[in-house]
Amino acid sequence: MTATDNPTNRYTVPSVTLVTQRTGLSSRTNSLGMRPMQERAYAKRGEPYLLIKSPPASGKSRALMFIALDKLQNQGLKQALVVVPERAIGGSFADEPLTQSGFPWDWVVKPQWNLCNAPGADEPRFARSKVRAVGEFLASSDPALICTHATFRFAVEELGVEAFDNRLIAIDEFHHISSHPDNRLGSQLALFLARDKAHIVAMTGSYFRGDAAAVLSPSDEARFETVTYTYYEQLNGYQYLKALDIGYFFYTGRYLDAIMKVLDPALKTIVHIPNVNSRESLKDKHKEVEEIMDALGTWRGVDPVTGFHTIERPASQGGGLIKVADLVDDGDPAQRSRVLAALKDPAQRGNRDHVDIIIALGMAKEGFDWIWCEHALTIGYRSSLTEIVQIIGRATRDAPGKATARFTNLIAEPDAAEAMVVDAINDTLKAIAASLLMEQVLAPRFEFTPKNAGPQADFDYGPEGYVEGRSNVGVNETTGQYHVEIGRLTMPESPEASRVCREDLNEVITAFVQDKSALERGLFDQENTLPEELTQLRMGKIVRERYPELSPADQETIRQHAVAALTITQQAKQQMANAEVAGAEDKGNLALIQGVRRFVNVRDLDIDLIDRINPFEAAYAVLAKAMDEKTLRQVQTTIAAKRLAIPVEEARELAQRALQFKQERGRLPDINAPDAWERRMAEGVAALARYRAQEKTAVERRGVDDG
């Protein structure tokens, strides 16, 4: 395939499209100057442990200011420490004159206590002065300090957790923490929770990690009161932004030969080039930037004030000058500082024409605020789903005249002829997993009940209203919730299971879509993979491992709710693709709502039916359009060839499902049954019997040998 054929698909295939109502609600303020998310969080200000899950640009930093000031003024806490992952984010917590908007107190941080502005790297050999400053702050009567995660870790190691008693610790970008014992900040947080003498406010726009590790252990998480503000609520309440498209675009050869097929110079764009160690990288980041700028037009110099490059567009493409900020070149520290200062210049925040394109490598992600960004273009897969959510957040700021935003992932198409085919397929799987997760993050929240549960307050059930005896779908446009009835659905028995079904389904789905085996089988080996192997076995295993303390009944309930949320979102998307909803672009998120209703009305939902739908079916339909057909067949052959006999663990799970089958139907599954899933369960029972017989024989042989 020649370079001119890149990418293999002729257009970006949208995997997710969200159309908003533009109600303006998310930017309106109350009498205290609080936006809706901030008001919701402030209502929980008395909680000692508070977890705020809210998307980028929703106002988490100001929400923290409101809560912290109340804790200092009314709840008896001595001081507040704000902990951020990197120094650049510290600016989000700078002084704010909150009294101007009606709040009783202003947020003020004395310059010496904003350690994000202090010189020196956050490394042990440079951090002594910052740790000393933390100690001096704790001994003072000043109210607030800002430091990085690293500085805080060093300070806790030196001063001990008891030094922070009766203080508020606010942890921004909380997803950097992990319950894994190797995560130092996570281990320190466990000590704070065990001591129970400090208040914790945790804030994150993406409560999941790229490595699938849990942020908090279930027992620790249960101690936090959660405030959730969804992407749906945030985007639906914007004043200007009307639609968000997220998609991937496959290419072959060099990405530089494909990039101009997706990079539109007319859009305000952040381009994230691949990490130098990635498969997509050409191993010379400076040359890559030069080639991108050369593809944009003719270089006309560097602005001495901002450090931005000036590029003249070809006359055949409209001509004109565009300004490009290069955040990749780190060879000249003075030049780099000049560019960063220009991008952060508060005087230019409202100037749409200040810069046109930003090219970055490791920067311009978390906490980077450029409200005019219309397109986040990322080359190469990102192993961290959190990173992708953060990158997408750069494009989802609301700004005058900005009606649409998009995220495009330019991915090297796997070539089954390559020696690195396995790595290539893995990269593709990770990109698809991220896309699937974003669909769940952006979709309205589901509230599932069994059939005939009755209508829920404030839900619209369509023209016919709620109808007894069928699977009803109700929509609350304000909160972005769906009420969906599913036959034979089980409901949680314990408070913890109820919390998981209410708050954590996306985290369960994250673990599922990151499961390499499930993705491989569900996408590329559908002929040999029964949907129940994914929906019951794989998802069931994930839920049991994630919530081992819950009863089997509650584990099964969580499994059912997670599978339903993923499958219904996917099927709704497929319904939308199969039959476009006339005028949907002008009616808020009507397309997705009608997609859900169409799926439910056609199928009359039952949990057994949902378990028999491959949850990756719709994703494959998108992939088949995006990927070269020959390559797709090669990848399918490669994956199918990896299929092994039933592993012992899967045989055990199939046998457990067979016992449930026997309890329901009074007989064991028949290996000759016409139903494929019944045959699979019977195969699992037979396989487990073989494993046990082999184990018994091995034990007997060892006994003979010992004798």
Side-chain angles (χ1 to χ4, degrees):
M1 183 169 289
T2 64
T4 56
D5 293 324
N6 280 313
T8 54
N9 54 323
R10 287 190 290 271
Y11 58 94
T12 303
V13 178
S15 175
V16 190
T17 299
L18 178 72
V19 183
T20 73
Q21 284 191 310
R22 293 193 290 189
T23 64
L25 289 175
S26 58
S27 57
R28 294 178 191 169
T29 57
N30 65 9
S31 59
L32 296 176
M34 299 177 188
R35 286 151 56 184
M37 185 283 286
Q38 296 158 352
E39 186 175 13
R40 189 178 300 175
Y42 191 66
K44 304 278 189 177
R45 62 190 179 279
E47 298 290 338
Y49 303 121
L50 190 60
L51 173 59
I52 301 174
K53 301 179 183 179
S54 186
S58 59
K60 291 188 291 294
S61 55
R62 186 170 287 215
L64 180 275
M65 296 174 191
F66 291 128
I67 293 168
L69 287 168
D70 186 85
K71 286 184 177 293
L72 296 177
Q73 298 292 333
N74 296 327
Q75 299 180 40
L77 294 193
K78 295 179 179 178
Q79 295 171 310
L81 294 91
V82 181
V83 186
V84 299
E86 57 185 65
R87 295 165 64 182
I89 300 178
S92 300
F93 297 91
D95 294 1
E96 281 289 349
L98 301 177
T99 54
Q100 292 181 7
S101 301
F103 197 67
W105 311 287
D106 288 328
W107 174 259
V108 179
V109 181
K110 289 186 176 180
Q112 70 264 37
W113 304 135
N114 188 343
L115 302 186
C116 290
N117 293 335
D122 289 319
E123 299 173 10
R125 58 189 178 130
F126 296 117
R128 288 195 173 278
S129 62
K130 294 184 181 181
V131 170
R132 186 165 58 249
V134 173
E136 292 170 356
F137 167 76
L138 295 174
S140 76
S141 58
D142 291 329
L145 174 140
I146 305 170
C147 69
T148 62
H149 287 184
T151 296
F152 183 73
R153 290 198 312 266
F154 298 139
V156 172
E157 288 173 2
E158 184 160 320
L159 303 173
V161 294
E162 62 277 3
F164 300 85
D165 286 355
N166 300 315
R167 289 168 174 86
L168 169 65
I169 301 167
I171 305 174
D172 193 28
E173 307 297 355
F174 192 61
H175 54 268
H176 285 260
I177 282 181
S178 164
S179 57
H180 194 281
D182 290 342
N183 186 285
R184 290 161 63 196
L185 189 54
S187 299
Q188 291 173 344
L189 177 64
L191 296 176
F192 279 109
L193 292 172
R195 184 168 175 80
D196 201 22
K197 296 285 188 181
H199 286 205
I200 309 289
V201 173
M203 300 171 288
T204 181
S206 48
Y207 190 64
F208 42 80
R209 293 170 50 86
D211 56 11
V215 177
L216 286 172
S217 68
S219 58
D220 282 345
E221 184 170 340
R223 300 182 66 181
F224 280 78
E225 181 69 24
T226 302
V227 174
T228 301
Y229 192 69
T230 65
Y231 248 109
Y232 179 90
E233 291 177 282
Q234 171 75 357
L235 298 182
N236 211 43
Y238 275 167
Q239 184 176 356
Y240 306 104
L241 188 62
K242 181 178 180 180
L244 171 65
D245 289 332
I246 299 174
Y248 36 80
F249 209 144
F250 289 97
Y251 71 92
T252 58
R254 302 183 336 139
Y255 81 82
L256 291 167
D257 297 325
I259 192 170
M260 291 311 294
K261 297 287 183 71
V262 289
L263 174 55
D264 183 351
L267 298 178
K268 302 294 183 182
T269 303
I270 298 178
V271 181
H272 286 104
I273 68 171
N275 183 282
V276 68
N277 296 317
S278 71
R279 192 168 58 94
E280 292 83 1
S281 173
L282 303 180
K283 313 307 178 189
D284 187 338
K285 61 183 182 180
H286 301 297
K287 187 174 185 300
E288 291 173 41
V289 173
E290 289 172 4
E291 283 205 42
I292 292 172
M293 288 197 288
D294 186 56
L296 288 168
T298 305
W299 183 80
R300 295 301 185 197
V302 177
D303 186 297
V305 177
T306 63
F308 299 160
H309 295 263
T310 301
I311 307 288
E312 183 177 358
R313 296 283 296 141
S316 60
Q317 298 175 25
L321 300 176
I322 60 173
K323 289 172 277 188
V324 179
D326 177 7
L327 291 179
V328 177
D329 187 359
D330 50 8
D332 183 346
Q335 168 72 357
R336 186 181 181 88
S337 296
R338 190 178 302 116
V339 173
L340 282 170
L343 290 174
K344 293 179 181 179
D345 185 357
Q348 299 296 335
R349 178 177 170 81
N351 181 8
R352 187 182 188 279
D353 297 322
H354 182 50
V355 67
D356 298 292
I357 294 174
I358 298 172
I359 304 176
L361 182 53
M363 303 183 72
K365 297 175 187 174
E366 212 167 59
F368 185 81
D369 189 10
W370 180 31
I371 64 171
W372 305 106
C373 178
E374 299 166 286
H375 188 193
L377 171 57
T378 299
I379 293 98
Y381 89 96
R382 294 299 189 265
S383 60
S384 167
L385 302 182
T386 294
E387 183 179 354
I388 290 176
V389 173
Q390 293 291 344
I391 291 173
I392 291 172
R394 300 321 101 204
T396 56
R397 264 66 173 167
D398 203 26
K402 178 179 165 182
T404 61
R406 68 179 63 164
F407 166 78
T408 304
N409 199 178
L410 190 60
I411 308 164
E413 187 167 277
D415 183 352
E418 290 181 7
M420 301 291 286
V421 63
V422 174
D423 290 340
I425 293 172
N426 287 345
D427 291 356
T428 303
L429 290 173
K430 289 171 183 175
I432 294 168
S435 174
L436 290 168
L437 176 62
M438 281 310 303
E439 290 172 12
Q440 296 304 133
V441 169
L442 292 170
R445 298 177 69 186
F446 290 104
E447 182 178 322
F448 296 118
T449 64
K451 277 186 183 177
N452 300 324
Q456 306 287 307
D458 301 321
F459 282 83
D460 175 11
Y461 292 90
E464 298 178 29
Y466 183 91
V467 179
E468 192 83 16
R470 81 173 187 194
S471 294
N472 289 278
V473 178
V475 181
N476 184 324
E477 283 272 11
T478 303
T479 62
Q481 286 180 295
Y482 290 172
H483 170 218
V484 180
E485 290 189 327
I486 301 174
R488 300 182 70 249
L489 181 79
T490 61
M491 297 299 287
E493 297 175 351
S494 68
E496 172 62 8
S498 296
R499 185 197 66 77
V500 173
C501 288
R502 185 178 63 251
E503 299 286 349
D504 281 2
L505 287 187
N506 279 353
E507 283 69 67
V508 177
I509 291 170
T510 299
F512 179 67
V513 301
Q514 285 182 304
D515 185 289
K516 181 184 170 187
S517 176
L519 264 178
E520 284 185 344
R521 304 256 79 85
L523 281 170
F524 297 119
D525 193 23
Q526 295 186 14
E527 288 186 6
N528 300 311
T529 302
L530 296 172
E532 292 93 336
E533 294 181 72
L534 307 173
T535 58
Q536 293 193 15
L537 300 190
R538 301 304 299 181
M539 184 69 90
K541 181 174 183 288
I542 285 167
V543 171
R544 286 194 303 275
E545 290 176 349
R546 190 176 182 90
Y547 305 103
E549 74 287 352
L550 293 180
S551 69
D554 272 343
Q555 290 172 345
E556 172 63 11
T557 292
I558 292 169
R559 183 201 71 78
Q560 290 182 9
H561 285 235
V563 167
L566 175 59
T567 301
I568 289 175
T569 300
Q570 290 295 302
Q571 289 296 315
K573 184 184 73 172
Q574 199 162 37
Q575 292 288 338
M576 291 157 55
N578 294 342
E580 294 183 6
V581 181
E585 66 275 11
D586 298 321
K587 299 179 182 177
N589 207 26
L590 182 62
L592 183 58
I593 292 169
Q594 291 199 7
V596 172
R597 282 191 170 138
R598 184 177 288 112
F599 169 61
V600 173
N601 291 341
V602 168
R603 303 295 188 100
D604 193 25
L605 287 193
D606 182 277
I607 192 61
D608 287 345
L609 183 146
I610 290 175
D611 276 341
R612 289 175 180 173
I613 298 173
N614 182 336
F616 304 114
E617 185 180 284
Y620 178 80
V622 172
L623 194 67
K625 292 179 183 178
M627 191 180 286
D628 175 76
E629 185 178 349
K630 180 183 176 183
T631 301
L632 191 59
R633 284 200 304 270
Q634 288 176 318
V635 172
Q636 288 172 327
T637 301
T638 303
I639 297 296
K642 293 169 59 178
R643 188 167 180 84
L644 304 173
I646 300 175
V648 63
E649 187 175 330
E650 185 174 321
R652 191 174 294 115
E653 291 172 3
L654 284 165
Q656 290 173 349
R657 291 285 169 184
L659 285 176
Q660 293 178 13
F661 180 94
K662 183 180 180 182
Q663 291 169 0
E664 293 173 359
R665 307 196 187 188
R667 64 177 179 83
L668 283 170
D670 184 353
I671 203 161
N672 297 312
D675 180 75
W677 177 235
E678 184 176 343
R679 291 198 304 272
R680 187 65 175 169
M681 286 187 285
E683 290 170 0
V685 172
L688 185 61
R690 286 195 300 272
Y691 282 121
R692 286 176 173 170
Q694 291 167 0
E695 186 177 327
K696 181 180 179 182
T697 300
V699 170
E700 289 172 350
R701 285 176 177 170
R702 284 198 298 270
V704 171
D705 292 341
D706 291 343

